[in-house]
Amino acid sequence: MDAIVTAGGIPEPDDPLYANTQGAPKAMLEIAGKPMIQWVLDALSDSKHVNQVVVVGLEKESGVTCTKSLDFIPNQGSMLSNIMAGGHRILTLNPGAKMLLSVSSDIPTITGAIVDWMAEEVMDGEYDVYYNYILRDAMESRFPGSKRTFTKFKGAEVCGGDLNAFQTHLLTADGAVWQELINARKNILKQAGIIGLDLLVKLFLRQLTIDEAAVKASKRLELKAIAVNCPYPEIGMDVDKPYQFELLQNDLIQREAI
């Protein structure tokens, strides 16, 4: 299985992390002694299922490494464009690829075992898209004080994960709705509105289950999608704010000391 690592973001002066990055790519922000993306690449290196890795948004000269076959392509300007370009590059390198992992460069606490869990979840290829979510209790137990944003569904409060998977045939699909959804990835209400007004109303009334949301999204996007209850909060613990940076830096330092 092959993986795309999205690393195209450069915080602007109004971004909370600008003081930490000072105009450099967020992926290269040093955390616990390594660029943030290097922790992600180390996890992919440790995976027994990952073969090819394409980093989108950095150059080879960045100096980051991976024990798996590693390739670099430039930032394409948007999240969707980066994922699409990374997928097309993998198909150039491995025309037989069917399922791809998509992982953000800002979830540095993931491990090889976590990547393998995800790879094994999607190997059957029954669905076109596998999207992870993490329950609030699990996230707050693993990362107290992380202050993640949670969405309230019927019977559950969840946040999204940044390690997901999709079938390569989607690379030729119409990207208009995909672009809208990815642009709204930090706002579940906007996503619900894009998929349908009835979904938005049910979400407001807290009568929408996670499975129902997946079914509605599948119908709207004309594909088969599944929301996966991920037991690993690390997949959803990205670095967006300075206090999250400090939290994960301390976590990684403690992990390395064991």
Side-chain angles (χ1 to χ4, degrees):
M1 189 170 294
D2 301 324
I4 303 161
V5 182
T6 53
I10 299 178
E12 299 291 333
D14 60 347
D15 190 288
L17 285 177
Y18 183 78
N20 300 75
T21 57
Q22 291 294 314
K26 179 181 176 182
M28 294 302 293
L29 176 61
E30 184 172 310
I31 181 168
K34 300 179 188 179
M36 184 153 51
I37 190 176
Q38 187 61 60
W39 291 97
V40 173
L41 292 173
D42 289 349
L44 295 173
S45 292
D46 290 341
S47 168
K48 63 186 178 184
H49 295 302
V50 171
N51 300 307
Q52 174 78 46
V53 178
V54 170
V55 172
V56 186
L58 294 179
E59 299 178 349
K60 184 177 181 180
E61 289 71 25
S62 66
V64 297
T65 61
C66 186
T67 62
K68 306 302 173 71
S69 181
L70 183 62
D71 196 43
F72 299 83
I73 61 174
N75 182 22
Q76 305 297 305
S78 73
M79 179 69 74
L80 178 63
S81 297
N82 284 342
I83 292 172
M84 297 283 283
H88 284 295
R89 179 58 179 163
I90 284 177
L91 285 177
T92 299
L93 299 167
N94 177 18
K98 299 297 183 184
M99 182 72 72
L100 302 180
L101 298 178
S102 175
V103 54
S104 174
S105 61
D106 62 354
I107 49 172
T109 56
I110 64 169
T111 64
I114 293 174
V115 174
D116 283 339
W117 169 83
M118 184 61 191
E120 290 161 12
E121 283 287 309
V122 308
M123 276 183 179
D124 61 6
E126 181 180 354
Y127 294 90
D128 297 314
V129 175
Y130 294 77
Y131 182 78
N132 279 301
Y133 68 89
I134 300 96
L135 294 171
R136 181 171 192 151
D137 287 348
M139 177 62 76
E140 293 186 340
S141 175
R142 174 67 177 86
F143 295 107
S146 61
K147 299 180 183 178
R148 304 307 304 168
T149 299
F150 296 93
T151 300
K152 294 181 180 180
F153 287 89
K154 185 178 181 180
E157 291 186 50
V158 306
C159 63
D162 289 324
L163 171 57
N164 300 295
F166 65 94
Q167 299 262 17
T168 56
H169 72 81
L170 294 179
L171 293 169
T172 58
D174 180 9
V177 177
W178 285 102
Q179 184 68 71
E180 289 184 76
L181 287 173
I182 289 177
N183 288 343
R185 67 190 182 278
K186 297 293 185 180
N187 190 324
I188 194 69
L189 294 179
K190 286 185 179 180
Q191 289 184 331
I194 292 165
I195 295 170
L197 182 60
D198 61 331
L199 202 70
L200 187 60
V201 170
K202 281 195 170 185
L203 187 58
F204 267 124
L205 297 175
R206 300 183 189 176
Q207 294 300 308
L208 181 68
T209 68
I210 296 170
D211 289 343
E212 185 179 7
V215 170
K216 291 279 188 180
S218 295
K219 184 176 180 180
R220 173 73 172 88
L221 300 172
E222 298 182 347
L223 51 76
K224 289 180 66 178
I226 185 171
V228 181
N229 183 356
C230 174
Y232 297 103
E234 291 86 351
I235 284 179
M237 192 59 241
D238 55 357
V239 177
D240 284 333
K241 307 288 193 306
Y243 65 83
Q244 293 164 346
F245 169 82
E246 295 295 336
L247 175 67
L248 295 196
Q249 175 157 257
N250 291 336
D251 188 272
L252 290 166
I253 290 172
Q254 291 176 19
R255 187 173 88 183
E256 291 296 287
I258 296 175

